[in-house]
Amino acid sequence: MIEGLAGLGRFALFGAGVAWRIVTPWWEVGETSRHVWQLVARCFLPVVAVVFPFGMVMALQGLGIFAVFGAQRMLSSLVSVAVFRELSPVLACTLVAAQGGSAFAAELGAMRIQEELDATEIMAIDSLRAHVVPRVVAALLASPVLVLVGSISGIAGGFVTAVYVKGEPEGVYWANLWALTSPVDVAGGLVKAFVFGGIIGLVACYQGYFATGGAAGVGRAVNNAVVIAVTVFVVVNYFLTTALFGAIGVG
Amino acid sequence: MTTLLAFVRFCGIVARASLSNPPPVRRIVEEAHGIGVRSLPILLVVSAFVGTNLAVQGYNAFAPLGGERLIGMFVALAGVRELAPVMVAAMVAAKAGTEMASQIAVMRIGEQIDALEVMALSPHWFLVTPRLVGILLVIPALTMISIFTLVLCSYGVAVYQLGLDGNDFIQLAAATTRPVDLLSCAAKSLVFGAIICLVSCFYGFHTRPGPAGVGQATNAAVVVSAVSCAALNYVLSEVLFG
């Protein structure tokens, strides 16, 4: 209990320190852009590979539900609402946590264990500024891009199932795509991605930065980074959904 | 490509080792207990909040059409059939899978796996088989628990936050979820469990030396198993429900 509270306090201090260094100069611009590029390149395939089949599954089950009412033409509206608002932010960010977050924790953990972080400090270089801030900023910037990629591939997945597997008319799919969604939904999904990216970056870097106990400790840090980041942003997601898309009962 | 071949070979060795000798029961119970109990808390949290979200989004999608009563059906179709098994797979991969990968990777770089071979014990039989049987024992149970939590929480949101009729919800959800569907979910989760365990152990066995190697192995284990589960999910859905 006390241990947990102490960890929470240490995390808050760590987060505040990182946030302060993000808004004050100087910035490691080269290092940051390298991390953004690396994160997008690393996560691109996994995001597409997960969201695309999920779009296909949505179409499969959605056709089942709409066929009961003879409303198959509404399929693409449902797919686009679900993908933009919910599926793509959550699934893509799960992949960012699994691929990018765990890589952050592994890299920083290895640097901590091999005393490279101490070496950085001894050379009078702020290790938070040099190693942590670029990674957190990269997660913040890359997540919305990846969520957009995910959204497009989810809609494409729905299209493939509806048109090529189930033989629905192609034009109807595109015509109803924007029936229930607006640019606000797309923007809402990107806001979510930005918040989730921040959570992933901070949690993963925290776990790696404070890793202890040799190679096994690095494994533990990676494990914790993924699990904690995903759990936290799924919880935050519910509140964000209610706040952004406002669903308080009509009574 | 060579990785895929090596993976198939690895699965073959595990299968042969598991079938030739009955695995030690005590180790299986240990692993099953470890995987089940350690994954349960995060699984409960994640399923609860996915359930609440599903209700809010379903309401948003159906209310403009005047179909907010259908929310029970939506939760049963999207949540029970699709999201719950995949979510359980993702969380088990993140929690138990990464643990398997990092434990075995540490044993590899500590040369403990070589030590097992020197003692003429098959490391696949000793390390992988109990984990495989253990995960197959607990993952259907975890899926059922997750389905229950998910439906319970979306019921709570539908009735108390959105002010919908609770009876409608229960009736539609129950009508949409037949007992066969629950069995199909359990079958899905068995496939996912086997993939997670084999992939994670595979990456643990083939780790590169040093702390960075262990980190990379753990990373690869969770990404590859999550991606293969999500991709296979479509095929399984098409076969089981299509």
Side-chain angles (χ1 to χ4, degrees):
Chain A
M1 184 69 202
I2 301 285
E3 191 71 7
L5 277 178
L8 207 59
R10 210 164 43 229
F11 179 72
L13 283 178
F14 179 81
V18 171
W20 174 248
R21 285 169 178 81
I22 289 178
V23 293
T24 52
W26 40 271
W27 294 288
E28 285 276 6
V29 180
E31 186 77 353
T32 307
S33 60
R34 188 176 70 83
H35 277 297
V36 173
W37 174 238
Q38 212 174 42
L39 196 58
V40 173
R42 263 188 191 160
C43 299
F44 188 86
L45 265 184
V47 166
V48 173
V50 166
V51 186
F52 188 83
F54 237 94
M56 295 174 77
V57 169
M58 281 285 304
L60 192 68
Q61 298 285 10
L63 275 177
I65 200 173
F66 283 126
V68 178
F69 309 99
Q72 286 97 327
R73 62 184 181 79
M74 292 304 298
L75 174 73
S76 64
S77 322
L78 178 77
V79 170
S80 72
V81 170
V83 164
F84 278 121
R85 286 187 180 171
E86 206 56 43
L87 275 180
S88 178
V90 170
L91 287 176
C93 287
T94 306
L95 265 300
V96 172
Q99 175 75 294
S102 67
F104 289 170
E107 288 160 8
L108 285 174
M111 288 166 104
R112 169 62 74 198
I113 301 301
Q114 288 160 354
E115 300 179 355
E116 290 169 25
L117 288 178
D118 301 306
T120 321
E121 293 280 345
I122 283 170
M123 291 188 285
I125 296 170
D126 187 347
S127 64
L128 278 181
R129 231 186 247 289
H131 299 304
V132 175
V133 169
R135 287 183 169 82
V136 175
V137 174
L140 279 173
L141 296 180
S143 302
V145 177
L146 289 163
V147 166
L148 209 57
V149 170
S151 305
I152 294 167
S153 54
I155 297 214
F159 179 79
V160 167
T161 300
V163 176
Y164 294 114
V165 182
K166 297 288 171 188
E168 294 295 318
E170 182 183 337
V172 173
Y173 189 88
W174 295 124
N176 283 306
L177 196 58
W178 296 100
L180 296 179
T181 35
S182 58
V184 180
D185 294 313
V186 181
L190 296 185
V191 170
K192 275 187 176 181
F194 192 70
V195 175
F196 296 169
I199 293 172
I200 292 167
L202 275 180
V203 170
C205 290
Y206 171 80
Q207 291 293 341
Y209 195 77
F210 292 105
T212 49
V218 177
R220 210 163 39 238
V222 174
N223 183 336
N224 282 339
V226 179
V227 171
I228 296 175
V230 172
T231 312
V232 170
F233 81 63
V234 168
V235 173
V236 170
N237 184 34
Y238 166 64
F239 296 104
L240 273 179
T241 299
T242 305
L244 287 171
F245 307 118
I248 305 299
V250 283
Chain B
M1 204 57 218
T2 42
T3 322
L4 198 64
L5 279 178
F7 178 67
V8 172
R9 215 176 129 247
F10 177 82
C11 293
I13 296 174
V14 171
R16 210 173 51 217
S18 313
L19 294 176
S20 63
N21 256 336
V25 176
R26 249 201 50 224
R27 288 275 299 123
I28 293 177
V29 173
E30 244 172 55
E31 290 295 341
H33 177 260
I35 295 164
V37 171
R38 273 198 304 267
S39 308
L40 195 56
I42 50 156
L43 205 63
L44 285 181
V45 175
V46 172
S47 337
F49 280 91
V50 168
T52 57
N53 241 327
L54 213 55
V56 173
Q57 292 294 4
Y59 180 81
N60 271 332
F62 288 117
L65 312 172
E68 59 264 35
R69 286 178 59 243
L70 291 178
I71 217 169
M73 195 178 194
F74 177 70
V75 168
L77 275 178
V80 173
R81 285 190 183 177
E82 297 304 331
L83 277 175
V86 175
M87 208 173 54
V88 170
M91 293 323 282
V92 169
K95 184 81 193 164
T98 51
E99 242 164 38
M100 289 177 193
S102 66
Q103 281 167 355
I104 293 182
V106 169
M107 289 182 199
R108 165 66 76 194
I109 62 176
E111 299 179 359
Q112 287 159 328
I113 291 181
D114 302 313
L116 279 176
E117 275 183 14
V118 167
M119 291 188 287
L121 260 176
S122 155
H124 298 84
W125 178 78
F126 191 75
L127 297 172
V128 183
T129 306
R131 288 179 166 82
L132 184 61
V133 180
I135 204 171
L136 290 181
L137 281 177
V138 293
I139 202 166
L142 288 175
T143 309
M144 292 304 133
I145 295 173
S146 150
I147 287 175
F148 177 75
T149 321
L150 190 150
V151 174
L152 185 74
C153 290
S154 51
Y155 175 84
V157 167
V159 173
Y160 296 106
Q161 187 186 343
L162 304 170
L164 300 175
D165 184 20
N167 282 330
D168 274 357
F169 184 97
I170 302 255
Q171 267 171 15
L172 275 173
T176 319
T177 318
R178 293 162 299 160
V180 183
D181 294 333
L182 291 180
L183 280 183
S184 307
C185 290
K188 265 190 185 180
S189 68
L190 280 178
V191 176
F192 295 160
I195 289 176
I196 292 167
C197 177
L198 288 172
V199 167
S200 305
C201 292
F202 172 76
Y203 278 103
F205 261 83
H206 297 270
T207 180
R208 271 186 277 158
V214 175
Q216 275 164 10
T218 316
N219 182 337
V222 59
V223 174
V224 172
S225 45
V227 169
S228 13
C229 287
L232 255 183
N233 182 42
Y234 173 71
V235 180
L236 287 174
S237 284
E238 181 77 75
V239 171
L240 293 169
F241 304 116

